Each structure stands twice: as C-alpha cells, then as structure tokens.
Amino acid sequence: MSYLKNISHERVVKLADEIDAASGQVVSKTLAQNEAVSVTLFAFSKGEEIGTHASDGDAMVFILEGCAELTIDGVKYLCSPGESIVMPAHKPHAVYAEEDFKMLLTVVFPLGKD
C-alpha cells in the first residue's frame, strides 16, 4: 500500500518538475491527504492568489521556484526558492504570486485534544 500518491516511488525527482501552471492558473497536486497531514504541490502563474483564509492545522510552505508573497495575520513576507515559512493554525493567511512560482505545502492537523 502506498501512502504517497501522484508521484513516482523509488526514483529521484525534482519536485518543481512535477507540476506546471499555465497563464491565469493556480494548479495543485495532492501527494498525501488524511486526518493528520496534507502534502500538496502548487504552481501559481504571476498575479494569481489564494485569498485570505485560515486552517485548523499548521501550514508550512517551501518555495521550489519563483517568488511568493505570503500574508500571515496581516504581515507580508516575501519567500524565495529554498525558503520556508509556517502559517500557524487559526491565523488568517493568503498567498500571492509576485511572479510564476511553485511551492510544496505541508499542513499538520491536530489529532484529538491537546
């Protein structure tokens, strides 16, 4: 049984090559999804965005290519390739494509009560 999907197993891959977006698109590719974790590749074309929202889990963004503007609780951050930022659970956040960019999003959800 495989827990990761939509990606080759036992083969070296460059994550940025696993997803593309055409002009005017935000494309996502789910690699894992269950009650504890979500792992998703995203490709944004310049000017596209995911508007302000919040999540029940901590969301970590890892930039693969390009530059993104992330807003967390009203504070803007610019992230470049190789950089990461955590968007804490329950804090409003948004993602805007300063230019074409690709990211890996990992969200870790709470299980049970703290």
Side-chain angles (χ1 to χ4, degrees), residues 80-94:
S80 299
E83 296 181 331
S84 296
I85 192 164
V86 174
M87 302 178 291
H90 308 293
K91 286 200 174 185
H93 56 270

Side-chain angles (χ1 to χ4, degrees), residues 62-68 79-84 99-102:
F62 178 77
I63 304 298
L64 300 167
E65 285 184 354
C67 183
C79 293
S80 299
E83 296 181 331
S84 296
E99 58 187 44
D100 291 353
F101 86 96
K102 297 176 183 183

Side-chain angles (χ1 to χ4, degrees), residues 14-41:
K14 183 176 177 187
L15 287 177
D17 291 345
E18 296 293 309
I19 192 164
D20 288 301
S23 180
Q25 292 184 334
V26 174
V27 175
S28 65
K29 184 177 190 181
T30 301
L31 303 181
Q33 180 78 48
N34 61 41
E35 71 246 6
V37 68
S38 172
V39 180
T40 309
L41 287 171

Side-chain angles (χ1 to χ4, degrees), residues 1-20:
M1 174 177 200
S2 295
Y3 301 105
L4 286 169
K5 60 183 181 179
N6 299 319
I7 192 164
S8 297
H9 289 217
E10 298 182 53
R11 189 179 74 128
V12 176
V13 297
K14 183 176 177 187
L15 287 177
D17 291 345
E18 296 293 309
I19 192 164
D20 288 301

Side-chain angles (χ1 to χ4, degrees), residues 34-55:
N34 61 41
E35 71 246 6
V37 68
S38 172
V39 180
T40 309
L41 287 171
F42 281 91
F44 287 68
S45 63
K46 181 179 180 176
E48 293 302 311
E49 65 185 318
I50 295 177
T52 303
H53 63 285
S55 171

